Amino acid sequence: QVQLVESGGRLVRTGGSLRLACAASGLSFKRTTMGWFRQAPGKEREFVAAVNWTGGITRYADSVQGRFTISTDITKNTLYLQMNSLKPEDTAMYYCVASLAASTIFQYSTPANYGHWGQGTQVTVSP
């Protein structure tokens, strides 16, 4: 059984940094596509970032490009999202996602392509 457990979300001031982590169990990062989505109150769930199993291909939403970095540690089966220069509009629940299909990295922004979701971790950025 695949389990994704996020951590690292908290209240931070504008301009600050956070690193989210997602501990994965029940799956091997080999041949997977991992990623992060977020959802703010009253808004639709949106894609944030994705990475393929080798770490060689990454994709980012335009709104976070240059500020966020997605990475994996295969030895720890953990996915990370380093978030810098945070803005109030980054406030949302952040979800870790996994697809057992390597090809998902080429259709990375569609939520339905990810079969496994974590419970989320809340990030709040104060003005």
Side-chain angles (χ1 to χ4, degrees), residues 7 11 19 30 36-37 43 47 52-53 59 61 65-66 69 77 85-86 92 99 106 108 114 119 121:
S7 62
L11 174 64
R19 188 176 78 156
K30 193 171 184 180
W36 295 92
F37 282 73
K43 295 188 177 181
F47 167 76
N52 75 326
W53 67 284
R59 296 290 184 263
Q65 181 76 46
T69 302
N77 250 30
S85 302
L86 283 162
S99 166
F106 302 109
Y108 52 89
Y114 297 89
Q119 292 300 306
T121 186

Side-chain angles (χ1 to χ4, degrees), residues 25-61:
S25 60
L27 64 80
S28 167
F29 276 23
K30 193 171 184 180
R31 305 294 180 187
T32 61
T33 300
M34 305 290 293
W36 295 92
F37 282 73
R38 67 186 182 186
Q39 188 167 21
K43 295 188 177 181
E44 292 190 355
R45 196 166 291 187
E46 66 171 345
F47 167 76
V48 176
V51 61
N52 75 326
W53 67 284
T54 67
I57 302 176
T58 56
R59 296 290 184 263
Y60 296 95

Side-chain angles (χ1 to χ4, degrees), residues 35-122:
W36 295 92
F37 282 73
R38 67 186 182 186
Q39 188 167 21
K43 295 188 177 181
E44 292 190 355
R45 196 166 291 187
E46 66 171 345
F47 167 76
V48 176
V51 61
N52 75 326
W53 67 284
T54 67
I57 302 176
T58 56
R59 296 290 184 263
Y60 296 95
D62 289 343
S63 58
V64 306
Q65 181 76 46
R67 299 189 297 124
F68 290 11
T69 302
I70 189 170
S71 63
T72 60
D73 185 335
I74 296 178
T75 64
K76 297 181 179 179
N77 250 30
T78 301
L79 175 73
Y80 299 101
L81 184 68
Q82 178 66 43
M83 306 187 294
N84 298 329
S85 302
L86 283 162
K87 306 175 182 179
E89 50 264 44
D90 294 318
T91 295
M93 185 72 78
Y94 283 70
Y95 297 92
C96 173
V97 298
S99 166
L100 302 186
S103 60
T104 299
I105 192 62
F106 302 109
Q107 298 172 310
Y108 52 89
S109 64
T110 303
N113 288 341
Y114 297 89
H116 304 283
W117 292 69
Q119 292 300 306
T121 186
Q122 178 67 39

